[in-house]
Amino acid sequence: MTLSRRNLLAATAVTSMVGATAMTGEAAAAHEANGADGAHESGLTSPGESADATGDGRPRTRTGFDRLSADGYALLSGRRVGVVTNPTGVTPGVRHIVDVMHADERVDLAAVFGPEHGFRGTAQAGGSEGSHEDPATGLPVHDTYGKSGRALADIFTRSGVDTVVFDIQDVGARFYTYIWTLYDCMVAAVLAGKRLVVLDRPNPVTGRAATGPVLDRAQASGVGREPIALAHGMTVAELALLFNAEFVPRAAGRPAELETVLMKGWRRPDFFDATGLPWVPPSPNMPTTDTALVYAGTCLFEGTNLSEGRGTTRPFELLGADGIDRRWSAAASELAADLGLPGVRFREAYFAPAFSKFQGKTVGGVQLHVHDRTSFDPVRTGIALLITAKQVWSGFAWRPDHWIDKLTGTPRVRTMIDAGAGVDEVVAAWQDDLARFRRLRREFLRYR
């Protein structure tokens, strides 16, 4: 990698655009304005990894870590490093990056920071592993779940690191908490005077478009701190650039000292299976890329008294409750036909969750079958399912804490559905905000 030129993203934020691919006109213009160097195109393989290809003969996508290690960790030279990661931080050969760096004398790796579910991934939703010594490496693991602002900055300070590296696989939805772990780390890095390096990974459901409602700051929470679209259509490095320009200065007083290591070989229309990379579940209830495909729409059922399929082998693809029968799948299928809701079919389904809502009880509902993922719109589909569930099941209820408002980012979805609005009316209500976010988003896109 060529690291000779670094330029300010905003104010004092330093961003190294390592390994950029060809981009859209808007992204290319922004990239050139930042004066970013390209990376050497050949021999970019991690130590011990093969330069294999995907099933269609395309070269495998090179992640940010692939490119960092291929350059001999030059970006981390002379730095005392801490890593924010989880089980998804792996090489193509499924070795964890912490294990790889710990064994490499070129990296002074001093600490690991564990997010929700923990560094090694042993905790369920809403849990963490606590602070401990990692038995595999002997490194101190600091529990950062639920920490932000000064509390997280103090953890960074006590760890003794000067550079924090972030490498976690995202799934493309605003309420998936790891992107807010990234945001919190950026704010904390400013407060603690630390440098932050973000290693990029693919958006598994593509980076084609942003869809869904944009967060109203009045609904800010751990599942959405700042106003981005529900399905943002960005990678973590692109989000880091957007956060640093738009949100971090507001929270911390100035941008973070940020550097991003981009992928090579990933394209915006690529689903995860086009990358040739191994899928590691980012959390216990995200077992497959099929789960990620529907998640932005069906996770909305966390805001209701229906099961979102947790405790089954198909979380977020199975939805249901005690008292629901075949009428829901019939109503959803009819509405999909009337609306021209593409890419998905609904099957009558019965299941007994092993944990979470309706644990051990057989309930009825639907299973989503996505047959055309390029035309499938998970958010619009999720709204259609909420509306039809409310129509056919008299027991339907929102969670009493109005968690649905945190998930959608606005109370309008809930109030409009309660008032009898149709799918297209609900979707139309967020289009102005979405159009503004899409214009903002363009500036930070770094892939074609």
Side-chain angles (χ1 to χ4, degrees):
M1 286 182 284
T2 305
L3 298 172
S4 57
R5 286 188 289 133
R6 296 175 184 167
N7 291 271
L8 295 179
L9 170 66
T12 59
V14 181
T15 305
S16 175
M17 291 287 92
V18 183
T21 64
M23 294 165 279
T24 61
E26 298 98 326
H31 187 69
E32 289 167 5
N34 285 340
D37 285 340
H40 191 271
E41 298 295 326
S42 63
L44 294 175
T45 54
S46 301
E49 306 290 352
S50 62
D52 56 335
T54 63
D56 63 2
R58 281 176 49 193
R60 175 179 55 77
T61 296
R62 304 295 179 188
T63 67
F65 179 78
D66 285 341
R67 311 209 78 198
L68 177 74
S69 60
D71 195 47
Y73 304 102
L75 201 58
L76 305 181
S77 179
R79 302 285 186 159
R80 191 163 173 78
V81 177
V83 180
V84 182
T85 190
N86 71 355
T88 65
V90 295
T91 69
V94 296
R95 291 185 65 201
H96 200 283
I97 68 165
V98 167
D99 299 330
V100 172
M101 288 193 289
H102 176 69
D104 197 314
E105 63 183 13
R106 295 172 296 179
V107 183
D108 182 8
L109 184 57
V112 181
F113 304 102
E116 184 180 8
H117 307 294
F119 159 48
R120 296 291 185 181
T122 64
Q124 261 292 345
S128 64
E129 294 172 335
S131 297
H132 62 283
E133 181 180 287
D134 177 47
T137 62
L139 290 168
V141 179
H142 302 270
D143 182 10
T144 62
Y145 178 52
K147 307 295 194 304
S148 61
R150 179 54 64 184
L152 182 54
D154 288 346
I155 292 174
F156 287 167
T157 298
R158 289 197 302 272
S159 73
V161 306
D162 56 58
T163 296
V164 176
V165 174
F166 182 95
D167 188 1
I168 296 179
Q169 176 65 55
D170 182 39
V171 301
R174 183 185 63 231
F175 38 59
Y176 205 58
T177 59
Y178 296 131
I179 62 171
W180 303 112
T181 300
L182 168 62
Y183 170 81
D184 289 339
C185 287
M186 294 176 72
V187 172
V190 174
L191 298 178
K194 309 299 181 184
R195 173 172 168 255
L196 189 74
V197 177
V198 177
L199 306 181
D200 212 7
R201 290 186 180 268
N203 184 324
V205 295
T206 81
R208 291 173 301 170
T211 61
V214 174
L215 178 79
D216 179 343
R217 277 202 175 100
Q219 301 300 327
S221 72
V223 293
R225 298 208 188 281
E226 297 288 354
I228 66 172
L230 195 161
H232 49 72
M234 302 176 77
T235 70
V236 288
E238 291 173 334
L239 283 168
L241 295 171
L242 187 154
F243 291 168
N244 211 36
E246 298 294 323
F247 306 139
V248 172
R250 180 175 178 270
R254 61 179 176 82
E257 183 185 346
L258 171 69
E259 304 201 53
T260 60
V261 185
L262 299 186
M263 296 175 284
K264 179 174 173 58
W266 185 76
R267 302 181 300 200
R268 303 211 79 81
D270 285 348
F271 289 92
F272 195 85
D273 59 9
T275 67
L277 297 170
W279 176 258
V280 175
S283 57
N285 294 291
M286 193 63 60
T288 70
T289 54
D290 289 341
T291 321
L293 189 62
V294 301
Y295 178 74
T298 55
C299 185
L300 297 177
F301 280 84
E302 280 191 0
T304 74
N305 61 341
L306 281 80
S307 167
E308 62 277 5
R310 292 182 187 273
T312 76
T313 59
R314 287 288 179 177
F316 303 106
E317 296 176 66
L318 286 167
L319 307 167
D322 187 20
I324 293 182
D325 58 23
R326 63 184 178 278
R327 289 174 295 169
W328 189 18
S329 60
S333 298
E334 181 179 355
L335 183 59
D338 291 344
L339 292 173
L341 197 64
V344 63
R345 299 186 181 99
F346 306 101
R347 181 184 69 86
E348 175 187 0
Y350 299 90
F351 56 95
F355 59 86
S356 194
K357 299 173 186 173
F358 304 105
Q359 179 178 353
K361 188 177 185 67
T362 299
V363 300
V366 300
Q367 181 178 359
L368 284 75
H369 292 265
V370 177
H371 61 87
D372 182 1
R373 62 187 183 180
T374 60
S375 64
F376 173 63
D377 182 338
V379 183
R380 190 163 175 253
T381 299
I383 298 299
L385 287 167
L386 288 170
I387 288 172
T388 51
K390 192 172 191 297
Q391 289 171 344
V392 303
W393 184 45
S394 60
F396 179 93
W398 305 110
R399 262 177 50 171
D401 59 1
H402 287 169
W403 186 243
I404 188 67
D405 298 354
K406 303 297 185 186
L407 294 171
T408 60
T410 171
R412 285 183 299 179
V413 171
R414 172 179 53 82
T415 58
M416 290 183 73
I417 290 175
D418 283 347
V423 174
D424 287 341
E425 291 177 87
V426 175
V427 171
W430 66 60
Q431 292 306 310
D432 288 346
D433 291 340
L434 180 59
R436 284 190 288 273
F437 175 74
R438 284 174 170 171
R439 288 193 294 271
L440 172 66
R441 168 182 176 270
R442 288 191 198 114
E443 180 182 347
F444 304 100
L445 301 183
R446 292 295 183 266
Y447 303 92
R448 177 171 59 188

